[in-house]
Structures are given as C-alpha cells and as structure tokens.
Amino acid sequence: MTMQPTYAMDDAQWNKLIQDVAYYFNDLTLKRGFQYYKQKRVQPFRMTEPRKIKALVEGSDDYSVSINLDDFTLSRCDCPVSGPCKHMAAVLMNYAEQQERSVHKLANATAASALHIPSASPSPSPAAAYNNRQEQLKEQARQLPDQGIEEWRNYFAACLAPLALNTRNPQYVERSLSSIAKLKPQLKPVSEKLFSLHTHLYILEAIIHASGTPAGIYSPSLGYFTHLAVTELQDAIAQLLVEELPLAAEPDQWLRISDTIAYLRHEMLTEARDRLREQPRFSVCYDLLWRNWISPNTSGTELYTEEIAQLEQAEAELGAAISRNALLLAKSRMYFYLSEDQTAMTLLRSAAERPGLHPDEFMSFLTSLLVMGDWPRMAAWLTEIGPLLNSRIYNLQGYSDYWEEAVQHLPEVEPQMWSTLSLMLPTSREIYDEKLLAYGKWQEWMDYQLSIGKEPSDFRVKDLQPLEKNAPEILLPFYHQAAERYVLEKNRHSYKSAVKLLKRLAKLYKKMKREERWGLFMASFTLRHSRLRALQEELRKGKLIP
C-alpha cells in the first residue's frame, strides 16, 4: 500500500532511526534483513500513524511486524525470535526506500552511527528516554487486566527489551521475572495464574531463540548455565500447571484459556523430539494444561471434540512441518477424555511406532486414571501401555506402582498383571522378580530364574532369604544342581563354591528337620567324588566330612 505523503520523515528522524537501528540490531540481523528486503519479502505495508508501521514479511511463515519509530521497545514481530529480528530490519529498509533514504546506510547503521550526525533537534537524554519508556510501560501495565494473551506478550517484550544483550542464565530469568512483575497490577486468582504461566513461557522462548536453537530441542551448545535456566523454567511451569485452577469462580477467563490452548497446541505440534532426552517441554505443558486445568473444570464433551477438530485442522495447515507423534498423542488424549478408549489406544499404538515418544507421555494416562480412581480402566490401560514401553530405556518402578494400586483396589485384575509383566520380559525382569517375591510366588520365581540360567552365585545371600524362610524346599534342587556343576569344573575355586552351597543346603535340611536325608546325600556325594582329593580337602575344611 502506498504510504501517505504527510507521513514523510525529516532529517532528524532519519538520523534518529540510524542511531536506534545501530543500538537495537546487531550486524548479522541487519545483514539477514537486507537479504529479505532485496528478495522483496515485505508485502502489505502501511502506516497507521505517522510514526507507526505495520507490515507482513514472508519467511518460513508469514510474520506480522509492528514498529514504533518513537520507541523501539514497543516494536514486535510474531516470529519466534524475542527482540529485534531480520523481519523488522527488512521492514525498516523497505520504509527507508519509500522515504527515498539510503537503504545501504541503514543496513550499515553500526558504522554510520559512529559518525557525528548533526540533528535538527537534540536527542532526549538517557534519563529522559528511560523515564519515557517507564511511563509507556506503566500505561501498558495498567491495561493488562482487560487485555488478552497477545497484548500480554507485547508487554513482556517491552519489559525484556533492555535485557536483550544479557547472558541467558538463571540470573537472566530472575531479572526478567522481576522486570515483568515490577509494574504488573493486582490480578484475580485465575488471571494471575495464567499471567504467570505465559510469563514463564515467554522467557523460556527468549532463552531458546537467543541461542538459535529451535523450540523443543535440547542442545548441548546452550551451555551449562543456559541449560540450567531452561530446566528451572520448565520446573516452574510444570509446578504451576499442577496447581488447581478455580475457573468456576472466574468463568470469563475461558477466552484466555482458549488462547492458551491454541498457543500450546501449535508449539507442541511443531517442536522437535529427541527420543534420547527428556520429554518435549511443550508436550508436557499441553498435557498438564488439559489434565489439571481444563478437565477438572468441564463436565461435558464439547471441549474435547472441538480440540480434535482443531488438531485435524492444524494437521491440514502445517503439513509436513507437523510432528506426527505429537498429533497422534494429542488426539489419543482427547479420545481418552471422551472415554473412547479403543480409539485412544489405537492412536497411541500408532504414535508409539515412531521414534521420539517419551515413556512419560504414556504414563500420563495412568496418572489421570489414578486421580479418577477408575480401576477397571486403569488395568486395561496398564495392559495396553506395558508392551509399548518395551523398546524404551525406562525405569519401570512407576509402572509397577500403578499395578499395585490397581490390584489393591481390584484384586481380580492380578492375573492380568502377571500376564502383562511376563509379556514384557526381559524388559520387566527387575519388577517381575520383585513382584513374584512380594506376592509369595516362590515356585514361579524359581522357575523363571532357572529358565534364564541363573545360579545361586548370581544372588546375594539376603536376596534368597525370603525363600529360605518361606519355601526352603524350592531352593533344594537349585542348590543341588549348582553344587554338582561346580564340582564338574574341577578346580580349587569351584570346589570352594560347591562347599559354600553345601553348607547352605545343610542348614536348609536342618530347618526342614530332614537331617537323615542330608546325611544320606552327603555319604553318596562323598563316595561319588572320592577321587577328587582337592574337593575332599575343601569338604573337611568346611567340616562337612570328618
């Protein structure tokens, strides 16, 4: 759109623009902005007021840019970068061209600003500029209670602009939170929680994008302290989303909830996944939002069916850029909330076929069922999820604990537990072992150990004490066979191992009050191996024979 001639820029404003661009933009950003300008990526362009520009810039997506020429801290672009970006630079160069000013001078503003440029009117002092910015921030802050998420994010951008050059570390997070909270007015409880959530999410983005790392990707290049800041923010967000949200007291907040869902849906569907790392951060937020803030505050099915429609629409719009894992998982969650478990499980199985799904994302279904106390569904989902964990490196103790809860409240599902755990072998070996002993299934435990070739030496003495106490007869063949195998090795070390087992056998026979049978066995054993002088010596040392 052609710019109105009454909005022409004078020399003083041009000189101020060069100084501002040199201050707020780095050379690399200006270079990239110049490339976008040359490629004519700046499309719709208009000035709503003499010193305010709005434009659309073509990039990996179409990004909306708003620039305030009087105060750059109020300028914004809806691309992922927090702060001055190449899209904003391209718009300014397009603006310079329309004003018949030197685009190259603007693209090299850092060098140009070093020269003395006379100004028609004196620039405001640093103190005056600071006071002006503070007044504008106060005005923005006063309007926060009545504004939506987008306006909140504009306020965050203005608050964080002075910190643009700071190192991204825990101190940056602390300063950012303090800067945003400094002028924030009192909000109602639900608004306060939503504001806090978006504050943390915005700072998280600012850290990630400042590092050049796409959202959702853990990168060692972040550096230790930057990664520490990211982790602390993630923990704070998760903790906030675990807390109760009393939406019934503020039903007017559903519009902000809807905007929050839309934001997290997009981030969750487009974040990269690394199957060797922690659960993708936006997947966590999306899950917790629905589980703790939305589901407890709705009794119908409308929100879930609407979200399924939104996910399908996002699939059509994002195309190849969408994460299929995240899409299938999100749809599975919605059908889960609709109690359409077969559809939900089918979608979850499809998601599990692809790399990148974190085990905790399976477990979130079980957490919801635990809260509901729906034990039949819990057993069904435990049976479904167990085999999906087989191909993943994961501590199954949490999964085991869910089975304990299900069996405790619904004893008839115990056979279902044993069947599922046996199907998960060898992945489930550790918890399968523990549960067999905990449930007193001594023979099943022994059968399993023999099937995988275990020997008594593979266990500590205290590991076998429960069997020695409760079912000593089961250990007899286990010890006898192992002792005979040691003897067959025919070396001093194996003979010593055989004697240790025989001494434990003697105690078992005594406990079972079968000393006579033990005596017959030892007589036979000694006679059969009478030619093994070293073994005979070890038996005497062990006081098993005279």
Side-chain angles (χ1 to χ4, degrees):
M1 179 180 293
T2 304
M3 195 161 37
Q4 296 87 335
T6 53
Y7 292 165
M9 176 172 51
D10 60 30
D11 289 343
Q13 292 169 335
W14 169 241
N15 291 334
K16 180 179 182 302
L17 178 61
I18 292 174
Q19 296 293 323
D20 286 340
V21 169
Y23 179 78
Y24 287 104
F25 293 82
N26 58 49
D27 287 334
L28 180 59
T29 301
L30 290 175
K31 181 178 180 181
R32 290 173 174 170
F34 183 71
Q35 291 173 342
Y36 269 39
Y37 157 76
K38 293 294 288 181
Q39 294 167 359
K40 300 189 182 299
R41 291 176 179 254
V42 181
Q43 296 302 325
F45 181 99
R46 60 194 177 93
M47 296 192 74
T48 56
E49 298 178 35
R51 300 288 289 162
K52 294 182 179 179
I53 303 171
K54 290 187 178 294
L56 193 69
V57 181
E58 296 177 356
S60 56
D61 201 346
D62 290 342
Y63 297 114
S64 177
V65 175
S66 299
I67 293 179
N68 187 321
L69 293 169
D70 288 324
D71 188 348
F72 261 88
T73 63
L74 301 179
S75 302
R76 59 170 294 278
C77 173
D78 62 7
C79 75
V81 175
S82 175
C85 63
K86 60 187 175 184
H87 309 104
M88 296 169 66
V91 170
L92 288 171
M93 292 172 196
N94 193 77
Y95 170 61
E97 178 189 14
Q98 294 194 27
Q99 292 289 328
E100 298 182 350
R101 299 284 180 170
S102 171
V103 174
H104 286 279
K105 192 170 187 179
L106 197 63
N108 294 280
T110 304
S113 67
L115 303 174
H116 175 69
I117 303 176
S119 176
S121 59
S123 298
S125 67
Y130 173 80
N131 290 333
N132 181 50
R133 192 177 73 84
Q134 287 300 106
E135 286 302 316
Q136 291 173 333
L137 276 177
K138 287 178 182 178
E139 178 58 31
Q140 279 186 279
R142 279 193 291 269
Q143 299 176 30
L144 290 175
D146 301 319
Q147 291 180 332
I149 303 302
E150 187 63 28
E151 289 77 15
W152 284 0
R153 290 175 66 84
N154 291 340
Y155 173 72
F156 301 154
C159 290
L160 267 58
L163 304 176
L165 301 179
N166 286 31
T167 302
R168 270 42 174 184
N169 55 22
Q171 288 70 40
Y172 171 83
V173 174
E174 185 178 339
R175 293 190 189 105
S176 297
L177 290 171
S178 176
S179 177
I180 291 172
K182 184 177 181 181
L183 300 174
K184 180 185 73 66
Q186 185 71 31
L187 299 173
K188 293 180 179 179
V190 174
S191 300
E192 185 68 43
K193 286 183 182 291
L194 284 167
F195 189 87
S196 180
L197 172 64
H198 284 280
T199 297
H200 285 80
L201 287 170
Y202 190 88
I203 297 171
L204 181 63
E205 288 181 46
I207 292 177
I208 294 168
H209 294 303
S211 70
T213 304
I217 296 181
Y218 163 83
S219 173
S221 62
L222 285 176
Y224 173 76
F225 291 106
T226 304
H227 185 246
L228 183 61
V230 168
T231 300
E232 290 178 356
L233 278 168
Q234 287 179 265
D235 291 344
I237 292 169
Q239 182 57 46
L240 183 63
L241 285 168
V242 166
E243 298 172 3
E244 181 183 355
L245 189 73
L247 268 172
E250 298 179 50
D252 58 322
Q253 294 304 309
W254 274 105
L255 180 58
R256 284 177 177 156
I257 287 289
S258 179
D259 290 342
T260 304
I261 294 171
Y263 166 76
L264 287 176
R265 181 195 309 122
H266 180 271
E267 297 301 320
M268 175 268 301
L269 290 174
T270 55
E271 69 180 328
R273 286 173 167 264
D274 183 347
R275 59 180 171 175
L276 300 179
R277 301 287 180 182
E278 60 267 13
Q279 184 180 357
R281 60 181 62 91
F282 288 108
S283 174
V284 176
C285 294
Y286 180 83
D287 174 36
L288 290 175
L289 180 76
W290 280 96
R291 194 197 317 165
N292 298 321
W293 281 14
I294 299 176
S295 183
N297 286 292
T298 183
S299 56
T301 62
E302 183 180 351
L303 282 178
Y304 306 126
T305 54
E306 180 183 331
E307 182 63 8
I308 292 171
Q310 291 290 343
L311 289 166
E312 290 173 348
Q313 182 179 339
E315 180 181 13
E317 292 174 353
L318 292 172
I322 201 168
S323 166
R324 291 293 301 173
N325 309 65
L327 175 67
L328 291 168
L329 182 63
K331 291 178 72 174
S332 177
R333 285 193 180 112
M334 294 306 112
Y335 281 107
F336 169 84
Y337 287 123
L338 290 169
S339 295
E340 297 183 24
D341 285 353
Q342 289 306 311
T343 302
M345 289 177 182
T346 299
L347 288 165
L348 188 61
R349 282 194 296 270
S350 297
E353 291 172 358
R354 298 169 169 81
L357 211 63
H358 193 276
D360 282 343
E361 294 177 296
F362 298 114
M363 304 298 284
S364 66
F365 292 89
L366 305 178
T367 304
S368 296
L369 290 168
L370 183 66
V371 174
M372 297 177 194
D374 194 335
W375 309 115
R377 282 186 77 191
M378 171 76 86
W381 276 90
L382 282 163
T383 302
E384 177 67 30
I385 286 172
L388 301 182
L389 297 171
N390 263 10
S391 61
R392 291 163 172 83
I393 300 173
Y394 190 64
N395 184 344
L396 291 174
Q397 190 55 55
Y399 176 77
S400 173
D401 292 342
Y402 281 119
W403 266 121
E404 285 297 311
E405 290 284 348
V407 172
Q408 180 182 343
H409 290 87
L410 201 65
E412 56 266 35
V413 303
E414 184 181 334
Q416 200 171 330
M417 176 182 72
W418 296 120
S419 175
T420 303
L421 292 178
S422 63
L423 286 173
M424 293 172 63
L425 291 169
T427 306
S428 62
R429 182 185 65 79
E430 186 174 344
I431 62 171
Y432 188 54
D433 271 1
E434 290 176 359
K435 285 194 179 298
L436 286 171
L437 292 175
Y439 280 74
K441 293 187 174 292
W442 317 118
Q443 188 60 60
E444 290 86 346
W445 184 87
M446 180 55 66
D447 290 343
Y448 176 59
Q449 306 310 322
L450 292 172
S451 73
I452 59 175
K454 288 287 186 178
E455 295 190 0
S457 59
D458 295 322
F459 301 94
R460 293 170 297 181
V461 172
K462 69 175 184 178
D463 294 334
L464 297 175
Q465 283 176 348
L467 273 81
E468 291 184 353
K469 178 181 178 181
N470 297 286
E473 68 281 356
I474 291 176
L475 284 173
L476 295 180
F478 193 42
Y479 287 170
H480 275 294
Q481 292 172 21
E484 295 289 353
R485 283 196 298 271
Y486 288 140
V487 171
L488 290 175
E489 293 179 20
K490 294 184 178 181
N491 61 67
R492 180 72 67 169
H493 177 73
S494 66
Y495 293 156
K496 289 181 179 180
S497 298
V499 168
K500 286 182 181 179
L501 274 183
L502 290 171
K503 291 174 74 172
R504 289 169 71 176
L505 271 170
K507 291 180 181 179
L508 286 179
Y509 276 106
K510 183 177 181 180
K511 182 176 183 177
M512 297 166 62
K513 298 181 180 180
R514 296 183 184 176
E515 289 91 339
E516 183 179 352
R517 184 173 177 182
W518 167 248
L520 292 173
F521 164 74
M522 275 307 300
S524 172
F525 181 84
T526 306
L527 181 61
R528 281 188 291 113
H529 302 298
S530 59
R531 294 184 179 182
L532 301 176
R533 294 176 59 185
L535 174 61
Q536 297 292 321
E537 289 176 9
E538 293 301 328
L539 289 171
R540 291 189 185 94
K541 288 180 183 178
K543 299 181 180 180
L544 291 172
I545 61 173

